[in-house]
């Protein structure tokens, strides 16, 4: 019984660490907008050393479609704008084509 409890505890630690470190290689998420499709590329962000849990669930909810973003919110430092502020990453204002593709 004690071995099972230790094994279960070890498995929880390993799974939690794996989730915290996981960035799905090649994963993308797309949003259709009036300015063109915006594609979030996991590889781009992972390549900068970011982990999924840095934004999920602190900035973004996990359920697809549950976050309704507007450019005014992003420019005000919400959602993508928490990092894309001109200091940590490029500022979206004036750089529309970096995210919005026709």
């Amino acid at each position: 019984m004690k071995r099972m409890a230790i094994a279960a505890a070890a498995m929880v630690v390993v799974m939690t660490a794996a989730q915290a470190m996981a960035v799905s290689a090649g994963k993308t998420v797309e949003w259709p907008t009036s300015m063109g499709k915006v594609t979030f590329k996991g590889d781009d962000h992972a390549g900068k050393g970011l982990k999924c849990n840095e934004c999920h669930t602190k900035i973004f909810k996990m359920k697809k479609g549950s976050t309704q973003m507007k450019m005014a919110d992003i420019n005000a430092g919400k959602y993508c704008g928490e990092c894309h502020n001109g200091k940590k990453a490029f500022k979206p204002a004036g750089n529309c084509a970096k995210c919005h593709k026709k």
Side-chain angles (χ1 to χ4, degrees):
M1 183 71 162
K2 188 175 180 181
R3 279 188 178 166
M4 277 182 64
I6 291 171
M11 190 159 191
V12 168
V13 169
V14 168
M15 294 299 289
T16 302
Q19 288 176 345
M21 299 299 286
V23 175
S24 301
K27 181 162 176 109
T28 61
V29 180
E30 296 179 345
W31 293 271
T33 74
S34 61
M35 295 275 302
K37 177 177 61 175
V38 173
T39 302
F40 170 88
K41 296 177 184 172
D43 286 347
D44 291 349
H45 291 80
K48 303 273 193 251
L50 299 171
K51 307 291 181 235
C52 297
N53 66 350
E54 292 182 52
C55 297
H56 295 283
T57 61
K58 297 172 189 168
I59 300 171
F60 297 100
K61 297 175 185 173
M62 291 301 290
K63 185 176 179 187
K64 186 175 182 176
S66 62
T67 302
Q68 300 299 316
M69 293 181 280
K70 294 182 172 44
M71 283 308 302
D73 294 330
I74 294 170
N75 289 329
K78 296 179 186 173
Y79 306 120
C80 305
E82 288 213 18
C83 294
H84 288 276
N85 55 18
K87 295 175 185 162
K88 187 171 183 178
F90 71 88
K91 192 170 186 161
N95 289 309
C96 304
K98 278 192 142 188
C99 298
H100 295 270
K101 309 291 182 196
K102 295 281 180 185

